[in-house]
């Protein structure tokens, strides 16, 4: 069983930066981890994901602005978000799957409660 807790959300002006953290219990560094977001009235979408070997996938909308990384010793996955835009405003969720990703966006069974990111223009 994997439990996830996100932190680091907040309010920022357009062009600013935030760093989201996701601490996992019951986690092994060989897990596939991902960040998703959901804005009001919209479907949840994949933002970034990282496989056990460090390989990454990003949504086109965040490429070049967001970076996903892992701190294995701390059982933590980070999402560095730079050059934030108002359209990045959403609830951000951390997700995990035991084992490898195998595909760009696997069906993640484990989810955190989310952290809110609000970007003002």
């Amino acid at each position: 069983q994997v439990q996830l807790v996100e932190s680091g959300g907040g309010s920022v002006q357009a062009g600013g930066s935030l760093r989201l953290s996701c601490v996992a219990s019951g986690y092994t560094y060989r897990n596939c981890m991902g960040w998703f977001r959901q804005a009001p009235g919209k479907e949840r979408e994949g933002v970034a994901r990282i496989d056990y070997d460090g390989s990454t996938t990003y949504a086109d909308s965040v490429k070049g602005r967001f970076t996903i990384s892992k701190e294995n010793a701390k059982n933590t996955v980070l999402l560095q978000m730079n050059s934030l835009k108002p359209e990045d405003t959403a609830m951000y969720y951390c997700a995990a799957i035991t084992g490898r990703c195998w595909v760009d966006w696997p069906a993640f069974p484990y989810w955190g409660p989310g952290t809110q990111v609000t970007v003002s223009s």
Side-chain angles (χ1 to χ4, degrees), residues 44-113:
R44 186 172 60 194
E45 62 174 351
V47 175
R49 70 94 171 129
I50 185 165
D51 211 340
Y52 83 100
D53 61 356
S55 60
T56 58
T57 295
Y58 293 93
D60 288 342
S61 59
V62 306
K63 284 181 180 177
R65 300 189 298 122
F66 291 11
T67 303
I68 188 171
S69 61
K70 296 192 297 180
E71 294 184 344
N72 291 331
K74 298 180 181 179
N75 286 352
T76 299
V77 177
L78 305 173
L79 185 68
Q80 178 67 43
M81 307 186 295
N82 299 328
S83 302
L84 283 161
K85 304 175 181 180
E87 51 263 44
D88 294 318
T89 295
M91 184 70 78
Y92 282 71
Y93 299 91
C94 178
I97 186 170
T98 53
R100 296 188 61 180
C101 294
W102 294 111
V103 296
D104 283 347
W105 302 108
F108 290 91
Y110 303 110
W111 294 84

